[in-house]
Amino acid sequence: MSAAPVLTGEQVAGAWREALATWDVRTRLSPPDTDVERGAGHWQGDEPLAYIDLETRRVVVNLDLLRKMDCLDSLPAVLAHEIGHHVRYPHHLGLVASLEVMQRRLLPDVEESLTNLFFDLQVNEVVGRTRAEELAAVYRGFLKRSRGLPPSFAYFLAVQEELFELESPILTPSVSAVMDREHPGWRADARQFAQTFYDLTDQHLQFAYFCSRFLPYLDPPSGGNRRSAKALPLGRDVRQPEAADYDGALQSQAAADSALREAQARGWLPEGAAEGAEADDEGILDVIRRITAGLPGSAAAEFRAVLVGSHYRRLAERYLFHPPREPATSEPSLPTTLTPWEVGDDPKAIDWTASVISSGVLAPARPLRRDLEPDGEPGEWRDVPAMEIYLDTSGSMPEPSSQVNAMTLAAQVLAASTLRHGGRVRGIIYSGSHEVSAWMYSEDVARRFLLRYAGGGTNFPFGRLAALSREEPRAIRVVISDSDFLYNLRGDRNPRVLAEAAERSLRLVALLATRGADRDPSLGPALAHPRFHLLEVSDIADLAGAAGRLAAALFEP
Amino acid sequence: MTTPPEVDLAAIRAELDRAPLVSPFPHEVATAVVADLWRRAGRAPPDDAAWARWAKRSPRWREQLGMLAHVLTATGLAAAAVACLAGSDRPAEDVMDELVDGIRPLTAEMIRSNAFRQEEFLRRFVACLPGRIAGESPERSARRLDKLDYRKTLAEYRAAEKAREKEAAERRKAILEAQQRAAAARGWRE
């Protein structure tokens, strides 16, 4: 026989109505279902006390815990708190993502996200206007069950005490005494915070202020130089943004940049902090790593792959050539064979030299014409180009998700260019061994494949090059590497294999981050072939730009 | 001594929310608006010398007087203030002396935009008249005003920051060092 529900349906419904009235909004959420028994295994410890189940769109509350805390009467406040996160704070998950990105830039030391705490301050200010005592009861209940109190929690509760005129304080004298000793002036700090924070209307500026004031109360750095914001009651109930939300936040950080500059101007941040927090191309990869660090293993890898892929896509766009919409036609330049000129033909078409050679003194009576015609169609391969990209992913280059890998980026540029011209791409990534993709027709698929990385030695797969060139002779082949390629080329057979592959390709291009390769004797046989091209880039930073120019040369008429 | 009249602070603040400040009051007009409170209460307003003395004493007096005039004309505070002044024999100069000192650190922008500073401004004016806040005991009003006291908050805050100067410097250093560590950890550059 199951235990009686902690509260009746009518009681829960009444609390729900009161909670909705706090926000004066309509919502599609439903109140807790008292008939659904959720055993101890459902709840991991005491958190979350409440959350929103997005599948059922129902608020789920640990009523048993509320009973143990002796604050069942606080149910309306708890429900109002959850509703507040759903309808107002945060207004949308894009804002959460934007603030998290801002936090990772400003406070790279802090391990966990502070956004839930930030939004709790805002939600509680509204809920506390009418239900301050109910909220206070929940926090008092947690304090009774907790061993030790993180300073950040004490500071948070002190802010609540400053906001609301409570019958009795939330914090106990013993907690206050510890805080007085370890963080002198913390009460004045909390008062100043409460009287300043809610005055700020811009959410990014508000968050910058919040970070600057809460930082001293977070746990000190551990061995890994990371500070931790321990879980607070009702402190893990804001939805996690999705990859698309973070991608949008990484793409546009103007609001955060502006807020950081203003926070610095107001003296909330040390001089140089706003500039130090600027996320360049490398910095964004760092932010992605920190955002995904807290996710469970498999989820983190996929999340990171999506965000890194989007970042490389944006980087590649800088180097892609955007052709005009109308197809360009070639200018006529190729002379045709000679034919007799007749009255009515264009006199300018007369080739007098050929006429004199042919007819001598009778040339004026029997002139010959020679027309010009377009230099043929660009070639069948221009209509549907196929490109094979041989990408060096050895350890001489960084892992693409931790630092911008110039070779990977160059490959992305070539792949995107090919695909946007209606072509197809095959990737061959190599290091000690190699991996070959199928023909790819989608930028997303190609981008993901070309982001793979081995980080081992360099061993160019000449055998594979020979086989693939036999299999598909009408492809453009591009090798992206550095001086390691020349090292691999040494040997009796390899130079010949390269030259033969050029013979079986529309073009074979070696895009190398090196100098003086044309003087390398191993490259001699290939250089002698008209379809082999060597592109050297002395500054590796120019690889992507060179790839963009190569793509324009290959595909643009 | 009669009990001072009550002032409905909540209603006044609600009215103020609905009455945005369009442009600052000229100083002479603001002075006249405030002086009229005493005239309407059947009492003599402060003399010219007193007004000049207050302007000299506080650098923010002009903007504060402008805000007071705005509140008096936009809400029911003027009527409530007249009732308080009519029932009191406290000299006008004493009322204003206390007000000038009490609101010294408050700027017009603070009073206009910060809910706490606005509440402090209004409570202090009512306390000086003197008046009572409707629905509150005098003790509660005193506690609330003490909590809102910006001079006290600023002083405590500055003292705390000074005591924690070392901690604050470490905090600033920690933010910058963490950012530098993150930048250095990227290592390989173009």
Side-chain angles (χ1 to χ4, degrees):
Chain A
M1 184 173 160
S2 59
V6 176
L7 290 173
T8 64
E10 205 174 295
Q11 287 170 313
V12 170
W16 182 248
R17 281 192 298 273
E18 290 180 53
L20 284 175
T22 304
W23 295 94
D24 195 23
V25 291
R26 285 184 171 219
T27 174
R28 291 188 188 164
L29 294 177
S30 301
D33 186 347
T34 57
D35 292 336
V36 175
E37 291 290 341
R38 294 176 197 259
H42 175 81
W43 304 101
Q44 294 169 13
D46 288 349
E47 271 301 308
L49 171 63
Y51 65 94
I52 295 173
D53 185 331
L54 289 173
E55 287 187 16
T56 61
R57 301 199 72 82
R58 187 180 289 281
V59 179
V60 180
V61 179
N62 191 340
L63 294 173
D64 192 51
L65 178 59
L66 266 187
R67 181 181 55 78
K68 286 176 187 167
M69 286 161 51
D70 195 25
C71 51
L72 278 174
D73 288 344
S74 296
L75 181 60
V78 171
L79 294 174
H81 181 97
E82 297 309 315
I83 292 171
H85 280 318
H86 188 68
V87 302
R88 182 104 39 103
Y89 300 114
H91 192 54
H92 53 87
L93 291 180
L95 175 63
V96 182
S98 183
L99 296 182
E100 289 213 14
V101 168
M102 186 174 159
Q103 179 199 316
R104 305 304 174 180
R105 289 169 54 190
L106 180 62
L107 305 175
D109 240 11
V110 177
E111 185 180 284
E112 293 181 28
S113 170
L114 298 177
T115 53
N116 207 132
L117 188 62
F118 171 76
F119 290 119
D120 275 354
L121 284 168
Q122 296 178 306
V123 165
N124 282 358
E125 191 275 326
V126 176
V127 176
R129 291 176 198 171
T130 50
R131 301 194 174 275
E133 289 295 343
E134 289 175 25
L135 277 179
V138 171
Y139 291 120
R140 286 193 202 102
F142 265 103
L143 286 184
K144 282 184 196 156
R145 296 169 64 84
S146 308
R147 265 183 266 167
L149 191 65
S152 54
F153 188 14
Y155 184 65
F156 172 86
L157 291 177
V159 172
Q160 311 293 291
E161 287 182 354
E162 291 296 330
L163 269 182
F164 312 127
E165 290 186 69
L166 300 170
E167 288 171 8
S168 55
I170 303 172
L171 292 163
T172 60
S174 57
V175 168
S176 295
V178 170
M179 285 295 288
D180 285 339
R181 193 173 57 243
E182 293 179 2
H183 298 275
W186 67 292
R187 281 279 187 192
D189 195 1
R191 178 170 301 175
Q192 179 74 349
F193 181 95
Q195 295 183 11
T196 306
F197 177 76
Y198 298 99
D199 193 37
L200 302 168
T201 51
D202 177 78
Q203 293 255 3
H204 287 83
L205 187 61
Q206 215 176 10
F207 190 67
Y209 179 72
F210 160 83
C211 287
S212 72
R213 301 321 302 176
F214 263 81
L215 181 61
Y217 302 99
L218 298 177
D219 285 345
S222 62
N225 282 332
R226 291 277 185 251
R227 294 176 187 264
S228 172
K230 289 211 169 52
L232 304 177
L234 299 171
R236 283 189 179 162
D237 52 354
V238 172
R239 257 179 70 198
Q240 172 80 20
E242 296 180 4
D245 297 313
Y246 283 114
D247 192 41
L250 288 166
Q251 198 168 359
S252 172
Q253 301 183 52
D257 289 339
S258 173
L260 288 172
R261 282 193 296 272
E262 186 169 347
Q264 187 172 284
R266 292 196 190 204
W268 299 339
L269 299 176
E271 203 171 314
E275 291 78 16
E278 278 173 9
D280 54 11
D281 294 340
E282 302 282 356
I284 288 178
L285 288 174
D286 219 10
V287 170
I288 291 172
R289 185 177 47 75
R290 283 188 236 117
I291 285 170
T292 54
L295 297 173
S298 55
E302 179 56 27
F303 214 83
R304 192 176 304 130
V306 169
L307 293 179
V308 170
S310 288
H311 183 49
Y312 272 87
R313 175 176 50 79
R314 282 191 290 275
L315 291 176
E317 284 289 343
R318 296 177 196 167
Y319 303 101
L320 290 173
F321 179 76
H322 297 285
R325 289 192 180 274
E326 314 81 46
T329 53
S330 305
E331 287 295 322
S333 59
L334 192 66
T336 62
T337 53
L338 291 164
T339 55
W341 185 87
E342 293 175 3
V343 174
D345 288 343
D346 183 3
K348 291 183 197 158
I350 297 173
D351 186 337
W352 288 111
T353 304
S355 302
V356 168
I357 291 172
S358 172
S359 305
V361 298
L362 293 177
R366 291 191 279 196
L368 297 173
R369 65 175 285 165
R370 194 193 295 273
D371 292 317
L372 298 176
E373 65 182 21
D375 190 9
E377 288 301 313
E380 290 177 19
W381 61 272
R382 282 189 185 268
D383 297 329
V384 185
M387 178 176 283
E388 281 180 3
I389 300 173
Y390 292 76
L391 175 61
D392 179 350
T393 64
S394 64
S396 60
M397 297 298 288
E399 203 277 321
S401 68
S402 62
Q403 293 177 19
V404 176
N405 182 318
M407 290 188 191
T408 298
L409 182 56
Q412 301 274 350
V413 170
L414 285 169
S417 295
T418 306
L419 292 165
R420 290 184 192 188
H421 281 84
R424 53 196 171 124
V425 170
R426 181 152 62 189
I428 300 92
I429 55 172
Y430 71 92
S431 177
S433 58
H434 63 276
E435 197 179 338
V436 183
S437 75
W439 283 108
M440 300 179 286
Y441 299 85
S442 151
E443 278 189 53
D444 282 343
V445 172
R447 189 180 310 122
R448 291 286 293 260
F449 182 84
L450 292 170
L451 275 172
R452 294 186 192 187
Y453 177 77
T458 316
N459 186 15
F460 185 86
F462 287 98
R464 182 67 71 172
L465 171 65
L468 290 177
S469 62
R470 280 191 210 99
E471 179 190 307
E472 178 54 81
R474 301 190 65 73
I476 301 168
R477 294 183 165 85
V478 182
V479 176
I480 305 175
S481 183
D482 51 19
S483 56
D484 284 349
F485 178 73
L486 301 174
Y487 183 77
N488 287 160
L489 199 52
R490 283 172 204 160
D492 291 336
R493 282 195 45 77
N494 292 341
R496 181 166 300 285
V497 169
L498 188 66
E500 288 169 357
E503 173 64 31
R504 294 190 294 267
S505 305
L506 290 174
R507 295 273 188 272
L508 200 162
V509 181
L511 176 58
L512 304 179
T514 187
R515 260 322 210 192
D518 55 337
R519 293 190 292 277
D520 192 308
S522 300
L523 209 47
L527 280 171
H529 198 286
R531 295 206 197 107
F532 179 83
H533 305 274
L534 172 65
L535 281 183
E536 290 181 288
V537 170
S538 55
D539 185 348
I540 202 164
D542 289 337
L543 259 180
R549 292 189 291 276
L550 172 61
L554 287 171
F555 300 130
E556 301 312 316
Chain B
M1 184 176 170
T2 56
T3 307
E6 286 192 339
V7 177
D8 189 344
L9 189 65
I12 287 167
R13 295 189 72 191
E15 285 181 286
L16 204 51
D17 274 345
R18 293 190 294 270
L21 179 62
V22 177
S23 62
F25 271 74
H27 183 63
E28 292 73 19
V29 174
T31 305
V33 166
V34 176
D36 269 350
L37 295 177
W38 275 271
R39 294 190 191 100
R40 286 165 59 185
R43 295 175 53 188
D47 60 29
D48 289 348
W51 291 107
R53 188 173 71 246
W54 294 320
K56 206 172 168 184
R57 192 198 303 179
S58 172
R60 297 193 183 95
W61 176 240
R62 280 181 170 256
E63 61 187 277
Q64 291 164 341
L65 192 64
M67 285 306 298
L68 181 58
H70 167 63
V71 179
L72 289 170
T73 52
T75 71
L77 182 61
V82 167
C84 293
L85 292 174
S88 164
D89 56 3
R90 192 173 188 216
E93 285 75 12
D94 288 356
V95 171
M96 297 303 284
D97 271 337
E98 186 181 337
L99 182 65
V100 170
D101 280 339
I103 62 173
R104 191 182 294 272
L106 305 183
T107 65
E109 181 57 24
M110 281 182 194
I111 298 165
R112 186 192 69 77
S113 65
N114 186 306
F116 294 92
R117 302 285 78 80
Q118 186 186 93
E119 186 186 344
E120 181 189 1
F121 179 75
L122 294 170
R123 281 181 177 271
R124 212 166 277 290
F125 177 67
V126 171
C128 293
L129 290 172
R132 285 190 307 133
I133 304 295
E136 288 181 8
S137 67
E139 292 76 23
R140 183 162 178 248
S141 297
R143 272 200 310 274
R144 181 68 183 161
L145 195 51
D146 184 61
K147 198 169 180 180
L148 289 170
D149 188 338
Y150 192 52
R151 296 168 303 177
K152 192 171 162 190
T153 300
L154 267 187
E156 285 175 355
Y157 179 69
R158 283 178 187 144
E161 285 288 279
K162 198 167 160 53
R164 294 191 304 177
E165 214 167 67
K166 187 179 167 207
E167 185 189 284
E170 281 173 11
R171 183 200 320 158
R172 286 192 289 272
K173 192 176 159 198
I175 288 179
L176 285 175
E177 280 178 356
Q179 288 171 353
Q180 283 158 7
R181 265 198 306 275
R186 291 176 216 145
W188 176 81
R189 286 273 180 198
E190 298 169 350

